[in-house]
Amino acid sequence: MSVARNTGNILFNDVKKLTFVPCKIGDVFEGTWSTHWFRVELKVPDRWVHEKREVHFVWNSQSEAMIYREDGKPLQGLAGEKNNNLRDCFVLFRENRSNYTQGIFYVELVCTDLGGNFNNGNMCDGLNMHKRCTLEECHIATFNREAWDLYWDFKVIYESAKQLDTSKESRADQALLIGNEIVNTCVPKDKSTYAPSRAVARRFFATKNPGSQHTVYAVGHCHIDMAWLWPFSETRRKGGRSWSSQTELMKQYEPFSFCASSSGLYEWVEHDYPKLFEEIKQYVVSGNQKFFPVGGSYLEFDGYLPSGESMARQMLYGQRFFKHHFGKYCNTFFLPDTFGYSAQLPQIIKKAGMRYFLTQKLSWSRYNKFPHSSFNWKGIDGTSVLTHFPPADNYCSQGHLDEVLKSQTNFKDKGRSNVSLMLFGIGDGGGGPLPQHIEQLERMKDVDGIPKVVLGKSVDDFFDALNKDRKNLMTWDGELYLELHNGSYTTMANNKKGNRLSELLIRDAELFSTLVCILEKKNAHYDWKQLGEVWRKIMLFQFHDVLPGTCIGPVYDVTDKEYPLIIKYLTESIEKSVAMLADKALAGHLLDYEFPEAATANTAVVFNSLSFPRKDHVLEWEKDGAKVYSKVEVPGVGCAIYPVSVLEKCIIDKPFVNVEVKENIEIESPKLRVVLSKGGRVLSVRDKETKEYNLPDTEKEVIGPWKNYKGGNILLLHDDVPIYWDAWDLWIYYQETATELLAHSHIIEKKNHQVKVIYSYKISDKSTLTQAILVNGLTKRIDFETNVDWHETHKVLRSYFPLNIRADSVVCDIQSGNLRRPTTANTSWEMAKHEICSHKFVDMSEAFYGVALMNNCKYGYSAQDNVLGLSLLKSSKGPYDKADMGKHDFTYSLYPHKFSLPESDVAEESFKLNVNVYEVWKQSTLADKKEVRYIDIQKPKIILDALKLDEEKRNTVILRVHEDGGSLTSCPVKFGFGIDAPVLVNILEEKVSRYEIVESDGKVVKEESEMIASGANDVHLKLKPFDIVTIKFGPLLPGK
């Protein structure tokens, strides 16, 4: 045996280039995630082979490891922890199963535990970067299979004696008697007693189950977090270790089945371990399938934080990978471990070609137990998906009898169905099923007193059985809210900001690139490779521990590096595309930059990617060396061209927002009267366009009362000390302690169209906050532009706005729609929602008036009585001890409006807060304003989610919209160019006639959403509430 130390994280192709030196048992290896390669030459004694003894290679390095064949084929993962995770043997020789009797093998040792590596074993004490591993064992040994079998016989019988219900039947007593007889028969040092002892055990297992028993489908599973208490780079190796262990078990056990999600992890395994990937492929596509891809998504993403379009792309990339490599799409969406589930997911699941959904995380809820195990889950658009929560309440069972029994006793839909699913295998840090898991479950397949256990089947097989009972099952309508981990809406704020910016920018980058391709009638301008890589990074960082902010520091070292690069690339892509579009828009008027007289640009081309016009954009430009501001209007999905001569007529040359400093700071615009305190509170906001109580000479007051506070924008610093899950949780008792922050100074900046009051705060001796409150005369939106230098410990910073509104619910912006949530705490279910997840806004409205609280990168809100709150920053210390420390900048906004949300322009205003316009200056001969409308969506509540080229042939155009107002809508869409052969497609970009997405009593019902082609450059869409509709048209010519 020899070793090459500290090689770095290399692939096998580079291993044989290493220099190996002798090593011995007892050698120590140090450095968390450090890599050490061993070359092991072994030979099984001929006598053992002749006697057909089973021979194992035994390895324990107190760490994770993997054994390779000499040709680089990964054989099996190894784990040296002295607990239930121990996997220290690889079968070298076993008749009809394994035949490695001699040769050279390589072992990759990684200094890490299967889980995390923390000082004192506490994730709040920081990472231990000096993990030490000792090579304890490396040898070959014979294995007594009969003794092993007897042990597991006795183990199951022993557990039956302990756990079966003695009040109902005699099986527990029978197990006790038979177990006692085994003890009397077996003499451990006398191998000849093993067979008679097993014969005794068979008497217990011979009594079969009656046909009415509950049936548990047991499927092997290995939950591998793409990053969590380890970096992304280590997950790639966990994939190889875990999945090679499962293909090895498939050789040793029949029946045995295993499921694995996340096409992104499959991609990593394909790249890093091509021989293993080919073996997996054979186990997927063979007639005796044992390896079952599930999930249909790129990875197991967070269920609340990504946008609707991001979720659609997760499905698109995942399903395409599975179809390309394995010949079929996944049928079950698989998301067992995220921290809540958006009410828009059922529609996205169905339109991505899947029928079923599996999760279990709601079993973690702290106040209320979810009432169902199997049910129909209905989303905000009415789509229903058959859903199952494994009643063992986990996704990494160990195959124990108590878990099988719990699958029956904890099953909440008895009488309606009699089947459940159990996922077994070591999880989170990978590993998967161990031999002992299968041994126990195999013995419980058909034994009286124990639920029937079905092995060797797939998750889809289980759901197909459950689907027969679907007409009996209850329906849950709305989100699946996890009553825990709601601090994850806020932790690692800059990471969440990077996600929001990336989602919005890649939308615009694709849109403008596609418009260039359409106008050029070829796809050459579309950067397929780079846009695909950017999407993969965005999706990777949406993993359900990464985006929520619950990973260790090295994970965020990667995202902190990558997000700026993503944003830079997308920004440059947009700039390049809009410059080309500007040239086309100015066709016939554009001057050549090469001529000296064309040295000064004299025409602004302003682009709007949103599906509605922007009528209040202020363009900053220079005239005679001084900055001036012009009010411009830009059509939806189009551009407006303003020659300087026209811009001059639009200059805001007189102030129409006034400020006066008295005891307080009083600001008046054409729309609002705002009173600010010198400490930074918003004391009053009066809407000049709305009468109070419909009385003449009155103005609607927006700010309402709350406790002993006066005004809005109440900045409170709360203690945030969760019971256990530090980065994850925000327990309700945080509300019991609060320190109000008041500004110690302010300055006022004035422009003709706006007033900005800049406040300075001292949060503590370590932390400061600067906030500019901006009142713009062109809108009712009041912006709070905030900069924080944050260095707190176990604190949460929140802003509160008491409103002069009476409402028992609020409406929250979610993926491709919105969701109503209570402001009351009448029940424990309502009380548990003290912190809720929303994207761009939460709106509190009465019948004819409302107020929205918006943001540009936040997700954690509260809505209690008349008070809207927004979580700005947390300061957890585990698992990342420097989480959120440093500088932050963000904006939140208060937006009063007429009418309730559906009749208002709240959604449009929230998009304006989040999405830029793009300005290009050109030299032209144009004298008048000109508008170009590329796509004219003629209903305000139809939001454009994506305009891109298709993934398959890359020469047709994909357009996706959603209905955002919650009503049946008929919407014409006109194009500024000709369109060929428009068809309705699903998220996978496959043609459908109508969406078949609502299943009732097990029958498919035709959905009303459809597209009616009505001309050479227009289509007519019919959408139901919160409908996501995708169309495809083309083709374009291939580029060169």
Side-chain angles (χ1 to χ4, degrees):
M1 179 175 61
S2 55
V3 65
R5 290 176 175 262
N6 295 306
T7 64
N9 188 344
I10 61 173
L11 298 179
F12 188 85
N13 288 342
D14 295 321
V15 169
K16 292 189 177 181
K17 304 173 187 176
L18 300 173
T19 300
F20 290 84
V21 297
C23 62
K24 63 184 185 303
I25 301 298
D27 283 356
V28 176
F29 304 85
E30 184 174 353
T32 302
W33 302 307
S34 63
T35 306
H36 313 270
W37 281 88
F38 294 78
R39 184 179 184 275
V40 180
E41 188 170 356
L42 58 83
K43 184 179 187 305
V44 177
D46 292 338
R47 179 169 60 87
W48 291 359
V49 175
H50 179 71
E51 294 173 355
K52 297 183 179 180
R53 295 192 187 186
E54 184 171 337
V55 183
H56 289 189
F57 172 70
V58 182
W59 174 279
N60 192 327
S61 53
Q62 300 180 331
S63 72
E64 290 203 73
M66 181 155 65
I67 181 171
Y68 292 75
R69 214 164 54 192
E70 189 177 13
D71 65 354
K73 165 70 169 57
L75 295 176
Q76 184 189 289
L78 300 160
E81 299 178 41
K82 300 289 188 180
N83 54 27
N84 292 333
N85 299 338
L86 181 66
R87 193 191 303 266
D88 62 349
C89 295
F90 170 71
V91 179
L92 288 171
F93 182 78
R94 184 182 178 192
E95 191 173 14
N96 299 324
R97 285 178 172 85
S98 301
N99 189 27
Y100 295 106
T101 57
Q102 64 180 5
I104 295 172
F105 296 84
Y106 290 86
V107 178
E108 178 190 29
L109 182 158
V110 182
C111 282
T112 182
D113 290 336
L114 195 62
N117 303 279
F118 293 98
N119 294 316
N120 307 313
N122 186 340
M123 69 170 62
C124 287
D125 287 347
L127 279 174
N128 171 19
M129 294 305 296
H130 304 285
K131 166 77 176 174
R132 291 169 60 89
C133 303
T134 301
L135 181 57
E136 290 187 339
E137 293 183 273
C138 177
H139 62 270
I140 61 173
T142 58
F143 181 79
N144 191 316
R145 178 65 59 175
E146 194 167 39
W148 166 267
D149 290 339
L150 176 58
Y151 174 83
W152 292 111
D153 287 346
F154 183 78
K155 172 73 170 174
V156 173
I157 293 170
Y158 168 72
E159 293 297 334
S160 297
K162 286 177 58 179
Q163 298 182 42
L164 294 184
D165 189 346
T166 57
S167 67
K168 294 182 179 179
E169 52 192 19
S170 61
R171 287 294 280 166
D173 298 316
Q174 293 171 6
L176 181 62
L177 287 171
I178 288 178
N180 183 67
E181 188 175 347
I182 292 172
V183 171
N184 292 336
T185 304
C186 180
V187 179
K189 293 185 179 181
D190 183 356
K191 297 178 182 178
S192 67
T193 65
Y194 296 172
S197 299
R198 291 208 68 205
V200 174
R202 282 193 289 272
R203 299 208 316 261
F204 179 78
F205 297 121
T207 306
K208 302 303 181 184
N209 233 319
S212 61
Q213 261 289 13
H214 186 83
T215 300
V216 178
Y217 284 72
V219 180
H221 176 54
C222 172
H223 187 72
I224 304 178
D225 288 323
M226 298 294 278
W228 180 33
L229 306 181
W230 48 86
F232 295 108
S233 57
E234 193 56 37
T235 304
R236 300 180 77 113
R237 300 199 283 194
K238 284 179 178 289
R241 292 191 289 260
S242 300
W243 290 358
S244 64
S245 297
Q246 302 318 305
T247 57
E248 175 60 22
L249 284 178
M250 290 169 191
K251 300 180 181 72
Q252 304 296 330
Y253 287 94
E254 182 71 43
F256 168 62
S257 61
F258 176 78
C259 68
S261 69
S262 304
S263 71
L265 186 54
Y266 284 82
E267 286 182 356
W268 286 354
V269 169
E270 181 185 25
H271 178 271
D272 296 352
Y273 309 102
K275 290 185 172 66
L276 172 61
F277 184 80
E278 285 304 312
E279 183 177 41
I280 290 170
K281 190 172 181 178
Q282 290 306 308
Y283 279 116
V284 173
V285 302
S286 67
N288 183 24
Q289 185 177 358
K290 295 185 175 184
F291 200 113
F292 293 90
V294 292
S297 57
Y298 187 71
L299 45 75
E300 294 180 16
F301 51 84
D302 182 86
Y304 270 157
L305 300 172
S307 68
E309 185 60 27
S310 287
M311 288 184 173
R313 297 303 176 94
Q314 292 273 359
M315 304 300 198
L316 175 63
Y317 276 65
Q319 288 285 56
R320 280 181 53 78
F321 179 92
F322 292 127
K323 181 69 174 291
H324 175 74
H325 288 279
F326 306 128
K328 57 185 177 181
Y329 293 134
C330 294
N331 207 23
T332 300
F333 182 53
F334 195 88
L335 195 60
D337 191 33
T338 192
F339 313 144
Y341 302 86
S342 167
Q344 187 60 286
L345 267 172
Q347 180 180 188
I348 295 172
I349 292 168
K350 281 292 185 70
K351 289 183 176 175
M354 290 179 280
R355 301 174 61 201
Y356 307 134
F357 174 48
L358 183 138
T359 185
Q360 63 80 46
K361 196 65 176 184
L362 263 63
S363 65
W364 286 44
S365 286
R366 280 297 175 256
Y367 304 104
N368 302 283
K369 291 298 181 184
F370 193 79
H372 304 296
S373 299
S374 298
F375 59 100
N376 296 298
W377 180 28
K378 184 179 289 187
I380 55 174
D381 73 312
T383 300
S384 179
V385 60
L386 182 59
T387 300
H388 181 68
F389 295 175
D393 284 349
N394 64 55
Y395 49 80
C396 48
S397 295
Q398 306 291 289
H400 297 320
L401 176 60
D402 61 340
E403 295 167 323
V404 174
L405 293 174
K406 186 177 181 181
S407 295
Q408 179 182 34
T409 58
N410 192 46
F411 184 69
K412 299 181 179 69
D413 298 279
K414 297 181 180 71
R416 300 183 184 278
S417 181
N418 205 25
V419 294
S420 64
L421 180 70
M422 186 172 76
L423 300 171
F424 68 94
I426 307 300
D428 289 336
L434 293 163
Q436 52 264 41
H437 301 162
I438 305 171
E439 295 284 357
Q440 294 175 91
L441 293 167
E442 174 70 23
R443 285 160 174 79
M444 290 183 257
K445 284 197 305 184
D446 190 4
V447 180
D448 186 30
I450 300 173
K452 288 184 177 180
V453 174
V454 177
L455 285 168
K457 298 295 185 179
S458 69
V459 173
D460 284 354
D461 290 332
F462 157 74
F463 270 109
D464 289 342
L466 176 62
N467 196 48
K468 296 175 183 177
D469 301 324
R470 183 166 189 174
K471 63 180 180 297
N472 302 325
L473 300 178
M474 303 296 287
T475 295
W476 183 271
D477 196 328
E479 70 179 325
L480 297 174
Y481 179 84
L482 175 64
E483 297 171 357
L484 194 70
H485 292 358
N486 39 28
S488 66
Y489 313 153
T490 302
T491 303
M492 293 303 295
N494 282 332
N495 190 57
K496 291 175 170 63
K497 181 179 179 181
N499 175 72
R500 176 80 65 86
L501 281 171
S502 299
E503 287 179 329
L504 295 170
L505 286 172
I506 198 165
R507 171 195 179 275
D508 287 357
E510 289 182 336
L511 182 146
F512 290 122
S513 292
T514 302
L515 289 174
V516 172
C517 293
I518 291 171
L519 298 181
E520 291 187 344
K521 293 185 168 57
K522 59 183 181 181
N523 62 7
H525 181 67
Y526 206 89
D527 191 350
W528 289 104
K529 183 176 181 181
Q530 193 60 37
L531 284 171
E533 287 305 308
V534 169
W535 262 119
R536 283 179 170 81
K537 289 178 181 178
I538 292 172
M539 293 188 296
L540 176 63
F541 299 158
Q542 289 172 342
F543 181 73
H544 66 251
D545 279 305
V546 179
L547 185 52
T550 54
C551 291
I552 57 172
V555 176
Y556 298 111
D557 291 342
V558 174
T559 61
D560 287 348
K561 176 183 176 182
E562 290 293 337
Y563 272 132
L565 296 176
I566 290 171
I567 291 165
K568 179 177 183 291
Y569 164 75
L570 293 174
T571 301
E572 291 174 351
S573 173
I574 292 168
E575 290 172 349
K576 180 180 177 183
S577 295
V578 296
M580 296 175 70
L581 291 171
D583 287 349
K584 294 180 182 298
L586 286 165
H589 300 280
L590 191 65
L591 294 178
D592 193 333
Y593 279 98
E594 294 179 1
F595 293 108
E597 59 268 27
T600 303
N602 66 356
T603 305
V605 187
V606 187
F607 288 87
N608 173 22
S609 68
L610 299 175
S611 48
F612 44 83
R614 302 182 75 147
K615 299 180 180 180
D616 51 13
H617 180 65
V618 176
L619 181 68
E620 179 183 309
W621 57 291
E622 286 193 4
K623 180 183 179 185
D624 301 327
K627 288 184 179 179
V628 292
Y629 303 90
S630 295
K631 178 179 176 293
V632 300
E633 297 184 5
V634 193
V637 197
C639 67
I641 305 172
Y642 281 86
V644 166
S645 58
V646 178
L647 282 177
E648 289 175 340
K649 299 174 184 177
C650 304
I651 290 176
I652 304 170
D653 55 0
K654 294 180 181 179
F656 58 90
V657 182
N658 300 309
V659 60
E660 188 173 357
V661 181
K662 299 179 181 177
E663 179 183 355
N664 297 304
I665 302 168
E666 300 179 4
I667 304 170
E668 182 177 358
S669 77
K671 300 176 184 292
L672 299 174
R673 300 182 200 272
V674 180
V675 180
L676 307 178
S677 77
K678 293 178 180 177
R681 282 193 195 168
V682 180
L683 298 179
S684 174
V685 177
R686 289 195 173 271
D687 187 337
K688 297 169 66 176
E689 297 178 345
T690 306
K691 303 301 182 184
E692 188 83 290
Y693 299 108
N694 292 318
L695 295 175
D697 302 321
T698 63
E699 296 168 347
K700 172 71 175 177
E701 174 60 60
V702 172
I703 303 299
W706 183 44
K707 298 180 180 179
N708 295 322
Y709 300 106
K710 184 179 180 181
N713 194 39
I714 301 165
L715 293 172
L716 297 184
L717 189 68
H718 300 276
D719 291 336
D720 174 30
V721 188
I723 292 174
Y724 181 70
W725 297 99
D726 196 4
W728 289 258
D729 291 349
L730 185 65
W731 283 78
I732 193 169
Y733 54 72
Y734 82 88
Q735 300 172 354
E736 298 173 10
T737 60
T739 300
E740 185 180 7
L741 304 182
L742 293 173
H744 56 74
S745 63
H746 70 272
I747 58 174
I748 298 174
E749 294 181 355
K750 294 186 287 184
K751 296 176 183 176
N752 286 343
H753 65 290
Q754 69 182 36
V755 168
K756 182 184 290 188
V757 184
I758 305 171
Y759 293 93
S760 297
Y761 296 78
K762 181 179 180 182
I763 299 174
S764 69
D765 291 339
K766 298 179 180 179
S767 304
T768 59
L769 182 149
T770 302
Q771 186 173 78
I773 301 179
L774 189 151
V775 179
N776 185 325
L778 299 176
T779 176
K780 290 183 182 179
R781 199 181 80 210
I782 304 171
D783 292 340
F784 299 81
E785 299 173 347
T786 310
N787 292 272
V788 186
D789 193 3
W790 181 248
H791 299 281
E792 298 303 299
T793 298
H794 289 134
K795 301 288 184 182
V796 59
L797 178 64
R798 306 188 86 248
S799 177
Y800 295 88
F801 289 87
L803 302 176
N804 186 25
I805 297 288
R806 171 64 176 151
D808 60 5
S809 64
V810 292
V811 180
C812 304
D813 178 46
I814 66 167
Q815 294 80 4
S816 306
N818 50 69
L819 178 70
R820 191 171 293 277
R821 292 181 173 119
T823 63
T824 53
N826 294 331
T827 68
S828 59
W829 293 86
E830 292 180 346
M831 178 274 294
K833 294 183 179 180
H834 63 87
E835 185 83 352
I836 52 179
C837 184
S838 188
H839 285 206
K840 297 181 294 298
F841 67 84
V842 168
D843 183 81
M844 183 181 288
S845 290
E846 299 170 340
F848 301 105
Y849 197 82
V851 182
L853 182 57
M854 302 174 177
N855 74 85
N856 72 343
C857 60
K858 300 298 174 185
Y859 295 89
Y861 281 86
S862 61
Q864 297 172 329
D865 295 325
N866 68 316
V867 181
L868 291 181
L870 181 65
S871 292
L872 304 179
L873 292 169
K874 261 175 67 79
S875 52
S876 58
K877 297 302 170 187
Y880 182 24
D881 57 347
K882 296 182 177 60
D884 281 308
M885 298 298 98
K887 297 183 184 300
H888 301 263
D889 62 273
F890 49 86
T891 298
Y892 56 95
S893 305
L894 193 71
Y895 186 61
H897 59 87
K898 291 182 180 180
F899 311 116
S900 60
L901 179 71
E903 295 81 25
S904 75
D905 62 348
V906 167
E908 292 92 327
E909 195 68 29
S910 71
F911 272 106
K912 292 176 185 178
L913 175 63
N914 279 266
V915 179
N916 293 326
V917 299
Y918 302 97
E919 303 165 6
V920 180
W921 284 85
K922 294 285 185 176
Q923 181 79 2
S924 82
T925 61
L926 196 70
D928 300 315
K929 178 189 172 183
K930 177 184 175 182
E931 286 189 353
V932 178
R933 297 176 185 237
Y934 302 110
I935 303 174
D936 186 7
I937 298 174
Q938 298 186 340
K939 290 293 178 70
K941 299 302 178 184
I942 306 303
I943 304 298
L944 176 61
D945 293 322
L947 185 73
K948 59 184 285 291
L949 297 192
D950 76 288
E951 299 291 328
E952 181 66 29
K953 297 182 179 179
R954 302 178 180 178
N955 69 340
T956 56
V957 177
I958 301 294
L959 179 143
R960 184 157 33 250
V961 298
H962 77 265
E963 198 284 324
D964 203 63
S967 66
L968 289 167
T969 303
S970 175
C971 178
V973 180
K974 294 189 175 183
F975 298 88
F977 41 81
I979 59 172
D980 295 325
V983 294
L984 193 69
V985 297
N986 58 19
I987 284 174
L988 306 182
E989 302 175 0
E990 296 177 332
K991 181 180 178 180
V992 294
S993 56
R994 289 188 178 189
Y995 291 120
E996 297 177 348
I997 63 173
V998 179
E999 293 188 18
S1000 174
D1001 295 334
K1003 296 180 180 179
V1004 175
V1005 178
K1006 289 289 185 180
E1007 220 300 303
E1008 287 303 317
S1009 304
E1010 61 181 308
M1011 181 205 73
I1012 306 168
S1014 53
N1017 63 348
D1018 65 297
V1019 297
H1020 199 101
L1021 302 177
K1022 290 174 64 177
L1023 301 94
K1024 61 186 177 60
F1026 307 122
D1027 206 357
I1028 300 170
V1029 171
T1030 310
I1031 65 171
K1032 178 166 67 173
F1033 59 87
L1036 304 172
L1037 297 174
K1040 295 182 179 180

